[in-house]
Amino acid sequence: MANDLHTEGFTNPLSNPGASNAAIQALLSEAQGQVAKPQIELPAGGNFRLPGGLVQGSDYTDTRYDAEVRELTGADEEALTKARSGGVGKFITTLLQSGTVSVGGQKASAALLSNLLLGDRDMLLLEIRRATYGDEVVWDQFSCPWCSEEFRLAVTLDEIPIRRMENPSERVFEVELRRGRKAFVRLPVGADQEAILAVVERATDSEQNTLLISRVLISVVESNGSENAVTGNPEFARSLGILDRKAILDAIEKNQPGPQYNEVKFTHESCGKEVPLFITAGDLFQGL
Ligand SMILES: [Zn+2]
């Protein structure tokens, strides 16, 4: 509350950092003197079901869906501020590592999180957001794309549709290519996202697509029935026709489970038009 601010004796840390630090230290020790045993509350958290699931072993018989996240704390905020300078990939990885407690009964580790489908990672981000900032995402000055009116827009996280995978085996699927060929493709996981985000600032969208396709393409079956393994082969990904590449990327998009951030829409009452809303991770974590 602005009215309650005590500005008397205020030391500007920019003009006098030494005095300011000393004042802060004095305040901290004063505070410690008052509260002998500081009460440290455990961060709030939540349990929920992953839309894709963590596959154990080589088949899909032991797929685990339970996950737990917790509220981000000041220590996490410090780590995230540092990670931000390392780019988007580092930021998202740090966010997931900070806020995820466990997945499938296992403590969250970097390796485990890299193994999760992008849709499951999006779900973790959504729930970390809920535990940290609550259910409501607010835009103070949202501008209607139809009538340009500016207003305060609030959307609750429950308005974001969640697509759930019916069967864990759907993470590998077939895509029809032209001229009687077909491809076996797997859904991208965290490790793929990390590889792409690591080059996002120097690679074009097409180059990022080449990298993604070369990672998730398992094999291609020719029209004569012969099958060739093509994983990790950027040259092969480049050799595919533009329409075949598009078919693969569209199938990945269509099959990925998780929060559908670009399927949120609302009706603007003033103009009566339906407004599509494209929610990004940046909107979810506006404070960071
Ligand atoms: Zn409008």
Side-chain angles (χ1 to χ4, degrees), residues 144 146-149 268 270-271 273 275:
C144 175
W146 303 110
C147 69
S148 304
E149 191 194 326
H268 184 208
S270 300
C271 68
K273 295 236 170 84
V275 181

Side-chain angles (χ1 to χ4, degrees), residues 13 15 40 49-50 92 101 145 162 166-167 169 172 177 199 222 257 264 274:
S15 55
I40 298 181
R49 188 179 159 86
L50 291 176
I92 290 179
V101 178
I162 310 290
E166 305 259 316
N167 187 317
S169 66
V172 175
L177 304 180
V199 299
E222 301 297 333
V264 182
E274 188 172 79

Side-chain angles (χ1 to χ4, degrees), residues 53-238:
L54 178 68
V55 175
Q56 306 282 304
S58 55
D59 60 14
Y60 302 110
T61 50
D62 185 12
T63 302
R64 312 222 178 137
Y65 297 95
D66 56 302
E68 184 183 354
V69 295
R70 65 162 175 80
E71 174 189 8
L72 298 174
T73 63
D76 299 322
E77 192 182 351
E78 288 181 6
L80 283 161
T81 310
K82 263 192 205 125
R84 189 177 270 284
S85 59
V88 196
K90 181 95 181 105
F91 185 77
I92 290 179
T93 303
T94 307
L95 197 49
L96 286 170
Q97 283 176 2
S98 305
T100 310
V101 178
S102 67
V103 174
Q106 297 169 48
K107 201 169 171 293
S109 66
L112 183 149
L113 292 166
S114 300
N115 231 341
L116 290 179
L117 292 177
L118 298 196
D120 284 339
R121 287 162 62 96
D122 280 349
M123 190 78 199
L124 290 170
L125 289 178
L126 185 82
E127 294 299 333
I128 294 169
R129 147 76 211 209
R130 197 195 303 272
T132 307
Y133 295 109
D135 282 329
E136 207 177 54
V137 188
V138 174
W139 290 262
D140 280 327
Q141 283 183 302
F142 184 86
S143 174
C144 175
W146 303 110
C147 69
S148 304
E149 191 194 326
E150 284 197 349
F151 54 97
R152 180 184 183 277
L153 175 67
V155 168
T156 65
L157 296 179
D158 293 332
E159 290 174 64
I160 302 170
I162 310 290
R163 184 190 294 154
R164 299 202 175 266
M165 198 181 258
E166 305 259 316
N167 187 317
S169 66
E170 289 167 26
R171 67 198 62 215
V172 175
F173 49 91
E174 205 180 289
V175 181
E176 295 288 334
L177 304 180
R178 289 172 315 143
R179 292 192 280 272
R181 299 165 93 199
K182 63 182 178 185
F184 284 100
V185 179
R186 67 167 174 82
L187 282 179
V189 295
D192 303 311
Q193 185 183 35
E194 280 159 8
I196 289 160
L197 289 176
V199 299
V200 78
E201 271 153 34
R202 50 202 156 85
T204 63
D205 286 355
S206 325
E207 287 166 340
Q208 291 170 40
N209 288 342
T210 299
L211 179 59
L212 176 66
I213 291 169
S214 73
R215 292 179 66 102
V216 299
L217 200 55
I218 299 167
S219 65
V220 167
V221 181
E222 301 297 333
S223 54
N224 66 7
S226 68
E227 183 171 0
N228 299 302
V230 288
T231 305
N233 186 342
E235 276 316 308
F236 185 84
R238 276 190 203 103

